[in-house]
Amino acid sequence: LAKTTQPISMDSYEGQEVNITCSHNNIATNDYITWYQQFPSQGPRFIIQGYKTKVTNEVASLFIPADRKSSTLSLPRVSLSDTAVYYCLVGDKALFSGGYNKLIFGAGTRLAVHP
Amino acid sequence: DGGITQSPKYLFRKEGQNVTLSCEQNLNHDAMYWYRQDPGQGLRLIYYSQIVNDFQKGDIAEGYSVSREKKESFPLTVTSAQKNPTAFYLCASRALESGNTIYFGEGSWLTVV
């Protein structure tokens, strides 16, 4: 499984765009990139998933360069409620036959949004 | 409602006791996971299971045990051998074909008293 590296923490202000980058230098050909958001005392929840180029949904965008060795989660116009820990997860989307997908999370990025 | 149910939300354990955390899912997912989270830290994998009657150790399995007798249930027992069990425990499940998309329960807080 590809190891991921993220900044430990970030600060922003309401209304700004926030970009959180995840490094995954040894990503495999079949690996997808998934981002999760976690609030205190809650389980992480899925934000967005992508394989290459750009993916956008109602809450975020995910930018993946051609070499796929990194990815950037973009949160447009953050609010105080976006204060949370964000995790980048890399792994194989394909069904594992006879194997296991351990789904190892990194330390995540603590985003603090200020008024 | 579909989802993952963990119980209890808060649990207190005395020294030397075993306690069991319940995790039930009605999502028909094959894979289930248990993670431990210490305050201010990331998630660490305890055990995971991909099919009934089979499970694998994660990175911090010592002092824990699990069973997977039914597809929808994956209880975690914190044994007395786990010397520092105070933490937030998260259960998760995943459809095997969904890759990295996993769903988490609301978590259980375990405190040693």
Side-chain angles (χ1 to χ4, degrees), chain A residues 32 34 36 38 41-44 46 49 87 89-93 95-96 99-105 110, chain B residues 9 33 35 37 40 42-43 45 48 50 54 56 59 88 90 94 96 99-102 104-106 109:
Chain A
Y32 277 68
T34 312
Y36 289 84
Q38 185 184 26
S41 297
Q42 295 185 24
F46 173 90
Q49 184 179 78
Y87 295 95
L89 193 63
V90 176
D92 195 335
K93 187 178 176 69
L95 177 64
F96 282 74
Y100 280 83
N101 187 342
K102 292 176 67 175
L103 296 182
I104 302 296
F105 282 78
R110 293 186 170 276
Chain B
K9 178 67 175 179
Y33 304 80
Y35 292 89
Q37 188 171 38
L43 283 70
L45 182 64
Y48 57 109
Q50 192 154 297
D54 193 19
Q56 302 293 319
D59 297 329
F88 187 51
L90 285 160
R94 177 179 71 91
L96 290 180
N100 302 338
T101 308
I102 62 175
F104 284 85
E106 290 301 306
W109 278 102

Side-chain angles (χ1 to χ4, degrees), chain B residues 71-104:
Chain B
K71 185 176 182 179
E72 59 270 23
S73 178
F74 192 41
L76 173 74
T77 297
V78 184
T79 75
S80 57
Q82 172 49 242
K83 298 306 180 186
N84 186 22
T86 296
F88 187 51
Y89 290 87
L90 285 160
C91 179
S93 71
R94 177 179 71 91
L96 290 180
E97 66 275 15
S98 69
N100 302 338
T101 308
I102 62 175
Y103 298 85
F104 284 85

Side-chain angles (χ1 to χ4, degrees), chain A residues 71-82:
Chain A
S71 59
T72 299
L73 174 73
S74 181
L75 305 172
R77 299 179 300 281
V78 294
S79 64
L80 296 176
S81 62
D82 292 314

